[in-house]
Amino acid sequence: MTLTIGFIGLGNMGGPMAANLVEAGHQVTGYDLAPEALRQAETAGVRPAASAAAAARQADVVISMLPAGRHVLAAYAELLPSARPGTLFVDCSTIDVADAREAHDLAVRAGQRAVDAPVSGGVVGATAASLTFMVGAEKAEFAAVKPVLAVMGRKVVHCGAAGAGQAAKICNNMILGISMIAVSEAFVLGESLGLSHQALFDVASTASGQCWALTSNCPVPGPVPASPANRDYAAGFAAALMAKDLGLAAGAAEAAGLPTELGRKAAQLYADFASSEGSGLDFSAIITTFGKDTA
Ligand code: NAD
């Protein structure tokens, strides 16, 4: 079925996601504050709108892919009254769980339907339509959104009610941030003990140390040729985005009264790294800061 889709936020992720919806035959009207992002999307077949409200007006589905919760809530204030009643709002941004629930409640109070559907897979996954979607939605809304998300991704998981998609996203990325630090510390320690990177990789990748940070995004050059370590840590998944996601996890833990000690430590290490030498680099580059200051 061809749908009319409003797409708000056509940046690194939203641009290729919108292009895949066009490719699948949907009629996509897009809006971005940045004229260059809008122009780029237009070349992929997205119809440019003059405002967010204009992109939402005729839509069956409104998808947002924005930097943070405050952008989503600000955009919803404009979008919700502009769309036809019963429009399905799908926020794919990574935002705070509390903001996601607030966005959902605002939408429902405005007579709209809403789900949170953050993604994993990065720009490569957005381009190749191989993203994983983590969805917070009621049953009926999940059934409605699943075929739309399936156009942009390979896996669509129903995580629970509103906010559950964001909860899954920040918990997953807390695992990833901590495990990248663990893998990096192990390589630095191994090297200081005279162990080659390849030897440690050959053991850990097939033993109990196995994890994605090691086998897909290995922080040292050599063992995994496609990992960012082999191209001067060009992102990949930027350290700044990891810092953002770990900050969201730490904030959620604090609100829940949980210590999550490693999660908080990882958030602090990544915040420091992303605001200094790690700015613009892949998150695996954090290994370059280890092994210093050990005197
Ligand atoms: P981006 O900065 O490239 O794109 C965001 C776009 O939103 C920009 O083009 C900006 O101009 C636009 N924008 C901001 N406010 C707007 C508004 N009010 N109306 C219209 N447009 C507006 O960011 P991105 O990398 O595409 O990330 C988007 C979201 O996806 C973030 O929440 C991020 O955490 C999440 N995410 C990113 C990745 C990744 O690898 N880049 C992976 C997973 C999740």
Side-chain angles (χ1 to χ4, degrees):
M1 184 173 65
T2 301
L3 294 169
T4 301
I5 297 174
F7 207 114
I8 316 300
L10 299 160
N12 292 326
M13 294 293 290
M17 289 165 72
N20 284 326
L21 290 167
V22 171
E23 181 85 17
H26 296 300
Q27 186 183 305
V28 183
T29 303
Y31 179 69
D32 194 295
L33 287 178
E36 186 46 39
L38 199 53
R39 258 196 302 278
Q40 185 104 23
E42 200 177 353
T43 64
V46 173
R47 299 171 188 206
S51 66
R57 216 159 272 143
Q58 298 303 321
D60 304 303
V61 178
V62 175
I63 299 175
S64 47
M65 195 51 166
L66 298 168
R70 65 181 187 282
H71 304 100
V72 175
L73 291 172
Y76 271 33
E78 182 183 348
L79 292 164
L80 294 171
S82 311
R84 294 177 302 193
T87 299
L88 183 59
F89 278 77
V90 185
D91 181 40
C92 294
S93 329
T94 302
I95 67 172
D96 192 70
V97 175
D99 285 342
R101 293 193 173 132
E102 188 177 339
H104 171 269
D105 293 350
L106 284 172
V108 170
R109 278 203 294 279
Q112 310 294 8
R113 304 193 292 159
V115 310
D116 50 291
V119 307
S120 175
V123 176
V124 171
T127 306
S130 61
L131 294 169
T132 293
F133 285 92
M134 299 153 245
V135 186
E138 300 306 321
K139 252 187 174 167
E141 277 66 39
F142 180 70
V145 79
K146 193 175 176 189
V148 180
L149 300 181
V151 167
M152 300 179 283
R154 199 173 284 153
K155 191 153 192 200
V156 183
V157 182
H158 190 192
C159 298
Q166 296 295 350
K169 168 78 185 175
I170 61 173
C171 289
N172 177 73
N173 279 19
M174 191 172 81
I175 296 172
L176 178 59
I178 294 170
S179 60
M180 181 54 81
I181 289 168
V183 168
S184 297
E185 286 194 344
F187 273 112
V188 170
L189 175 61
E191 187 173 26
S192 78
L193 298 174
L195 193 60
S196 74
H197 291 335
Q198 190 64 49
L200 176 56
F201 179 85
D202 289 346
V203 172
S205 63
T206 53
S208 44
Q210 192 274 333
C211 62
W212 190 90
L214 176 72
T215 56
S216 293
N217 216 82
C218 191
V220 294
V224 178
S227 81
N230 298 284
R231 37 188 165 88
D232 293 329
Y233 298 101
F237 183 52
L241 287 175
M242 176 53 85
K244 172 195 165 185
D245 293 356
L246 287 169
L248 290 174
E254 191 167 336
L258 288 170
T260 59
E261 287 178 31
L262 291 184
R264 279 174 205 223
K265 183 69 185 170
Q268 183 209 320
L269 289 174
Y270 268 106
D272 292 347
F273 182 56
S275 63
S276 55
E277 67 261 52
S279 163
L281 296 181
D282 186 76
F283 78 116
S284 60
I286 199 158
I287 192 172
T288 60
T289 66
F290 296 157
K292 295 178 184 169
D293 306 318
T294 51

